[in-house]
């Protein structure tokens, strides 16, 4: 559903994780609709269609890097 706060909620969760510790975060996204920030940790982004062919492949690629957080 559009406009229900899903991205805002995910951003708040990521901000709280980043506040508590330096985490390795992977974002797998279909479109760059939000500028994710992770000042205390390391953030890597994979865009479906540009970096990987599918969301599944994006998750597989992210998991190979042993992340602390994978955000879809």
């Amino acid at each position: 559903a559009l406009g229900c706060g899903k991205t805002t909620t995910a951003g708040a969760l990521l901000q709280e994780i980043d506040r508590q510790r330096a985490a390795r975060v992977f974002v797998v996204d279909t479109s760059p609709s939000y500028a994710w920030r992770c000042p205390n940790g390391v953030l890597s982004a994979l865009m479906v269609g540009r970096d990987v062919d599918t969301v599944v492949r994006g998750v597989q690629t992210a998991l190979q890097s042993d992340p602390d957080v994978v955000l879809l």
Side-chain angles (χ1 to χ4, degrees):
L2 187 64
C4 294
K6 298 177 295 296
T7 301
T8 302
T9 301
L13 289 169
L14 184 58
Q15 184 178 22
E16 181 61 21
I17 291 168
D18 187 62
R19 187 186 68 74
Q20 292 181 15
R21 64 188 175 106
R24 289 179 305 232
V25 178
F26 261 86
V27 177
V28 180
D29 204 350
T30 55
S31 64
S33 57
Y34 191 82
W36 301 102
R37 295 185 326 114
C38 193
N40 296 321
V42 177
L43 181 99
S44 300
L46 296 170
M47 184 187 290
V48 176
R50 183 188 71 193
D51 303 314
V52 290
D53 293 334
T54 65
V55 172
V56 171
R57 186 65 186 136
V59 171
Q60 291 170 337
T61 301
L63 291 177
Q64 290 173 352
S65 297
D66 192 31
D68 298 306
V69 177
V70 177
L71 179 63
L72 303 175

